[in-house]
Amino acid sequence: MKITMAHGSGGRATGELIASTFAKYFNNPILNKMEDSAVVEGSGRLAMTTDSFVVTPLIYPGGDIGRLAICGTVNDLLMSGAVPKYITCGYILEDGADVDLLTQIVKSMAETAAEAGVTIVAGDTKVIEGNGGIYINTAGVGFLPDGINISAANCADGDAIIVSGNLGDHHAAILSTRMEIENEIQSDNAPLVEIVRALKEAKVELHAMRDVTRGGLATVLHEFAVSSGSCMELWEEKLPVHPAVQGFCNLLGLDPLYMGNEGKMLTVVPKHDAETALQAIRGSKYGEHAAIIGEVTHTENGNVLVHTKVGGVRTVSELIGEGLPRIC
Amino acid sequence: MCVATSGEVLKVENGIAEVDFQGNIVRAAAGLTEVSPGDYVLVHAGVIIQKVTKQDNDIMTQLLAEMEDAARG
Amino acid sequence: MDSEILRFLKEYDGDVIRIMEVCGTHTAEISRTGIRKMLSPKIKLISGPGCPVCVTVTAYIDACIEIAKRENTTLVSFGDMLRVPGSHGSLRDAQAEGASVKMVYSPLDTLKYAKEHPETMYVFAAVGFETTTPVYALLMEQILAQQITNIKLLTSLKVMPPVIDWVCANQGNVDGFLAPGHVSVITGSRIFAPLAEKFHLPFVVSGFEGEELLSSIYALIKLRGQGTVMNLYPSVVSEEGNTLAQAQVEKYFTPGDATWRGMGSIPDSGMYLRETYQKYDAGSLNLIEDHVLNRACRCAEVLTGKITSEECPLFGTACTTEHPQGACMVSMEGACFNHLTAR
């Protein structure tokens, strides 16, 4: 069955669609009330975020737009040190969208929300003219325990820079599908809940955290360098990259430093906490390939430097343009 | 110029080779070279442009030493 | 990596030596490996006209855009070309306005699309140097073999020796060339011999790894003043090159004058579809106009190695990666792009 404009009218068709997809799979006491707004419990400092998801293809190796929507939102909240609790989602459906496909996405979103320990408390559906596309907007709310102050500005001289795993998987998976290059690369889309919990329980001094998304590691570290007025110095041989992703990058003239992830994060801690933090991440789901990749210095403030395998030094900027594959 | 990488030929059929680049399988046209499964080849823009000849690890040192010898005359 | 060579390069204190590379991938790899920091300040690495995107005139981009806007027509291209500005915007801009543009990894992918959509005319933006021209020759072979009538080429194909000759004859400020590794795979290292002899300059064919680049730079310093060609990429480069590929190119293409951004027309520096195959050409002849975005732009001089990126008054100020004023900054292989983003 396909989505039509009738599904967006607010009448019976809309009601039936919601009942058979969103309400069925997101099923929870707050949402089930189907009020105009969700009333939830909470106190203290709130962390809030919003995000929109427009990825194509809608289903890709290792995930789909529904899973991605939860991971992206939850991870944003986690990075400030908050515990994610509530998610809202608005779906914009183009007429012609396949209802079975929509159901698969909604189911995946529900499963990922359960994995991440968050509740989808409110939603909205709109239908517009188009070609079967599906887009999702989310908002997320989390609660920030007292005493937590995590910020890129905290990066201090001598701090260790840790990445939670292999670079570039998500971007490589999407590009592989679009360019029809056959490989086993899967998106790494995942909620970082366990990793962040393990870091907090390890009682390390968390200076900064940020998830590595669009623009890749280079872009995020560049933000860190600028915010903290320091230098992020990395060692190329320590950067964890799956061989298939490296091979993919070589093929297309791409650099893993600029390839986006959707389930990896950077953690900056004082040197004396580095090993503890590393073990905490490695012992958590999705953190198996974590590595200490560099340190914060003042060699060239505001910049990211990479000590290359051959012995050179390279200054790495943030991503320029779109990271298009090169032939030349 | 030219981004080209080397991979291993898995099979060749009707002028198209399946080449493995660390787990990425690309179909590359084999119209410019004679290749067989097991060969390492250089691929540019979907075409095999040359077979890679295995060199000893110290080929560079050897070539440079030869150059120095020639210079000394 | 031989530590003696590394030490030599770091401590070199002889006369300043200017080494030019004429390969966009060499430009990009020199940046990526950060080897400049391993060299004595008396060893200068200059970028020459080795970036096919950078040397393409705006008339070509404009022609691509015009084609992409036509009914039932799709322009097919590599990723590199999409952001380069013509006189009124880039292919990316045109795509945003509804023009039909498709990015592929291989020109041969076009065959599949053409067969699936016989009602659409596919025009391939055929840009490249000697490494890529054989790929287009293979495409032509398949078009004919499979009797496909809805693929055409808009060519901007160039060859290296005439432009290297131009640089040496018009500038004379180069002491040695890092010869392009993959061009040499096709042509063989012998194509540089006449140039080496004519100008008494060494040419070293180099691979793309950091170690290979460093060894090649070392060799060029040692061979200074000698009109000789040395092949330091023997795993894929031979003296005569890939003769089968050369024959394929010969079958479909013939040399002709071509216009290079910043250098004007250079005789016999381009390749064009032969008369017999002209019906597969989408208007490649006479694309000579080059529109300059900014009067103060000095891309032409940077491209030919006359000045360094830093010596252009717009570099890093009016001309940055966010608002590039010329091809040297737009292209990821451009000298200025690499100098600004990976100092």
Side-chain angles (χ1 to χ4, degrees):
Chain A
M1 187 174 85
K2 300 286 179 195
I3 297 287
T4 66
M5 296 304 287
H7 287 112
S9 66
R12 179 179 296 182
T14 310
E16 280 168 2
L17 178 69
I18 293 177
S20 62
T21 57
F22 307 111
K24 179 174 174 187
Y25 293 103
F26 295 160
N27 180 34
N28 64 70
I30 303 171
L31 189 66
N32 293 348
K33 286 191 182 145
M34 290 289 169
E35 302 283 3
D36 278 346
S37 49
V39 179
V40 300
E41 297 292 323
S43 65
R45 291 186 298 164
L46 288 175
M48 292 185 60
T49 187
T50 181
D51 215 334
S52 296
F53 299 89
V54 299
V55 69
T56 55
L58 294 168
I59 316 272
Y60 45 80
D64 58 75
I65 191 174
R67 179 170 176 78
L68 188 63
I70 296 292
C71 295
T73 317
V74 160
N75 291 343
D76 278 346
L77 293 171
L78 286 167
M79 294 304 108
S80 58
V83 178
K85 285 286 287 176
Y86 306 114
I87 306 280
T88 71
C89 64
Y91 273 72
I92 299 181
L93 310 170
E94 288 183 351
D95 66 0
D98 187 87
V99 173
D100 287 339
L101 182 59
L102 174 65
T103 308
Q104 188 184 344
I105 290 168
V106 167
K107 209 161 165 255
S108 172
M109 195 171 188
E111 281 160 7
T112 312
E115 185 189 348
V118 294
T119 314
I120 299 171
V121 297
D124 180 66
T125 318
K126 293 287 184 300
V127 180
I128 58 172
E129 277 167 27
N131 221 346
I134 297 178
Y135 311 100
I136 306 176
N137 168 268
T138 59
V141 170
F143 295 93
L144 202 53
D146 287 328
I148 296 216
N149 164 32
I150 295 179
S151 159
N154 294 339
C155 297
D157 200 24
D159 282 357
I161 304 169
I162 306 174
V163 71
S164 64
N166 293 332
L167 301 176
D169 294 28
H170 179 77
H171 193 157
I174 301 283
L175 262 186
S176 297
T177 315
R178 287 206 199 128
M179 299 190 78
E180 295 171 33
I181 290 176
E182 216 181 287
N183 53 45
E184 308 267 299
I185 299 172
Q186 307 256 302
S187 166
D188 59 338
N189 52 190
L192 297 165
V193 177
E194 251 193 64
I195 292 179
V196 175
R197 187 186 309 135
L199 281 168
K200 286 177 177 171
E201 282 167 10
K203 301 229 187 302
V204 294
E205 208 181 305
L206 284 170
H207 284 176
M209 296 195 295
R210 191 157 300 177
D211 60 343
V212 183
T213 53
R214 284 180 306 170
L217 187 81
T219 304
V220 177
L221 279 178
H222 194 260
E223 286 166 12
F224 274 15
V226 170
S227 299
S228 61
S230 56
C231 179
M232 304 283 136
E233 262 187 84
L234 311 180
W235 304 291
E236 186 182 12
E237 77 235 6
K238 300 241 156 64
L239 297 172
V241 183
H242 190 282
V245 173
Q246 186 63 64
F248 178 81
C249 289
N250 292 345
L251 207 47
L252 294 177
L254 294 167
D255 189 338
L257 277 173
Y258 292 108
M259 303 278 285
N261 285 81
E262 287 289 345
K264 299 291 180 324
M265 59 182 280
L266 279 168
T267 311
V268 178
V269 295
K271 189 177 283 192
H272 58 81
D273 275 338
E275 203 45 47
T276 314
L278 181 68
Q279 293 315 320
I281 301 171
R282 283 201 178 149
S284 309
K285 192 172 185 199
Y286 305 121
E288 308 81 33
H289 297 114
I292 300 174
I293 57 171
E295 66 174 345
V296 180
T297 64
H298 284 294
T299 310
E300 255 184 56
N301 290 341
N303 277 330
V304 179
L305 295 181
V306 176
H307 294 271
T308 61
K309 286 184 194 158
V310 72
V313 182
R314 171 193 173 194
T315 309
V316 171
S317 66
E318 71 275 36
L319 177 66
I320 317 287
E322 306 161 46
L324 294 167
R326 297 190 298 125
I327 182 68
C328 303
Chain B
M1 90 156 210
C2 314
V3 174
T5 20
S6 55
E8 187 185 349
V9 175
L10 298 177
K11 68 177 190 215
V12 192
E13 218 177 278
N14 298 328
I16 306 283
E18 255 186 37
V19 186
D20 181 0
F21 300 88
Q22 291 162 284
N24 293 274
I25 315 290
V26 170
R27 264 157 208 84
L32 300 177
T33 45
E34 290 278 337
V35 293
S36 324
D39 285 344
Y40 276 86
V41 292
L42 195 61
V43 175
H44 169 70
V47 175
I48 297 175
I49 56 172
Q50 194 53 280
K51 274 212 294 236
V52 179
T53 317
K54 280 252 176 280
Q55 302 282 344
D56 291 328
N57 283 337
D58 52 3
I59 181 74
M60 207 52 105
T61 320
Q62 199 187 311
L63 287 168
L64 292 172
E66 279 168 22
M67 175 191 73
E68 311 265 26
D69 286 342
R72 273 192 285 279
Chain C
M1 180 84 219
D2 191 330
S3 57
E4 286 294 317
I5 294 182
L6 290 178
R7 187 154 17 139
F8 174 89
L9 291 171
K10 190 84 192 153
E11 295 173 3
Y12 175 76
D13 196 31
D15 290 336
V16 167
I17 183 166
R18 296 169 57 83
I19 292 172
M20 179 179 272
E21 43 83 1
V22 285
C23 166
T25 308
H26 273 154
T27 318
E29 287 303 302
I30 287 169
S31 281
R32 206 186 57 80
T33 53
I35 57 171
R36 273 200 167 82
K37 291 265 162 55
M38 299 168 78
L39 305 174
S40 147
K42 289 195 161 186
I43 304 173
K44 309 272 186 210
L45 297 182
I46 337 167
S47 292
C51 160
V53 161
C54 301
V55 298
T56 298
V57 293
T58 53
Y60 181 80
I61 308 284
D62 293 344
C64 287
I65 292 174
E66 190 272 316
I67 289 170
K69 287 182 172 168
R70 288 182 198 161
E71 292 271 323
N72 301 318
T73 309
T74 295
L75 185 90
V76 190
S77 172
F78 296 123
D80 315 55
M81 290 301 286
L82 300 186
R83 283 201 325 138
V84 182
S87 47
H88 297 103
S90 67
L91 272 165
R92 243 307 171 253
D93 298 330
Q95 194 178 26
E97 285 166 25
S100 181
V101 179
K102 188 148 182 68
M103 181 178 81
V104 294
Y105 160 65
S106 169
L108 299 176
D109 294 341
T110 318
L111 294 163
K112 184 177 56 179
Y113 301 124
K115 285 186 286 194
E116 276 169 19
H117 300 280
E119 72 286 357
T120 305
M121 171 60 72
Y122 290 90
V123 178
F124 198 94
V127 173
F129 286 134
E130 291 97 324
T131 324
T132 322
T133 307
V135 174
Y136 300 119
L138 263 191
L139 176 61
M140 284 305 304
E141 188 94 334
Q142 286 305 313
I143 289 172
L144 293 173
Q146 299 183 44
Q147 295 176 314
I148 294 176
T149 52
N150 57 333
I151 300 181
K152 285 191 179 185
L153 303 183
L154 188 75
T155 65
S156 179
L157 298 169
K158 299 192 163 63
V159 295
M160 296 257 65
V163 76
I164 295 176
D165 187 285
W166 190 101
V167 168
C168 293
N170 288 280
Q171 273 163 212
N173 60 350
V174 177
D175 302 308
F177 282 88
L178 274 170
H182 293 141
V183 162
S184 302
V185 166
I186 301 293
T187 61
S189 56
R190 62 182 165 174
I191 57 159
F192 303 110
L195 289 161
E197 270 178 51
K198 180 175 174 186
F199 296 106
H200 305 294
L201 291 173
F203 283 70
V204 174
V205 180
S206 177
F208 298 87
E209 299 295 313
E211 288 87 351
E212 290 172 310
L213 288 162
L214 289 166
S215 300
S216 300
I217 293 167
Y218 173 78
L220 280 167
I221 298 174
K222 291 289 183 175
L223 293 171
R224 186 175 196 162
Q226 295 181 44
T228 186
V229 179
M230 184 173 180
N231 177 11
L232 282 184
Y233 197 18
S235 57
V236 285
V237 175
S238 63
E239 219 186 302
E240 71 278 3
N242 182 333
T243 50
L244 181 51
Q246 291 165 26
Q248 283 289 85
V249 168
E250 170 88 12
K251 185 172 173 188
Y252 293 102
F253 297 97
T254 185
D257 296 349
T259 311
W260 296 62
R261 192 185 288 246
M263 287 165 271
S265 177
I266 301 180
D268 287 343
S269 62
M271 295 294 273
Y272 298 90
L273 277 168
R274 287 187 178 279
E275 187 92 35
T276 334
Y277 305 108
Q278 270 298 305
K279 70 175 189 204
Y280 296 99
D281 184 272
S284 314
L285 296 158
N286 297 316
L287 291 173
I288 56 176
E289 216 182 81
D290 197 28
H291 172 89
V292 175
L293 263 176
N294 184 319
R295 286 263 188 79
C297 170
R298 297 181 68 183
C299 264
E301 290 162 279
V302 174
L303 267 172
T304 54
K306 186 160 186 196
I307 61 169
T308 62
S309 302
E310 289 80 6
E311 288 169 310
C312 171
L314 303 180
F315 179 73
T317 52
C319 183
T320 63
T321 49
E322 280 83 59
H323 29 87
Q325 300 300 299
C328 298
M329 188 62 84
V330 168
S331 170
M332 291 194 67
E333 301 194 310
C336 299
F337 179 92
N338 279 281
H339 277 250
L340 193 61
T341 61
R343 278 166 298 259

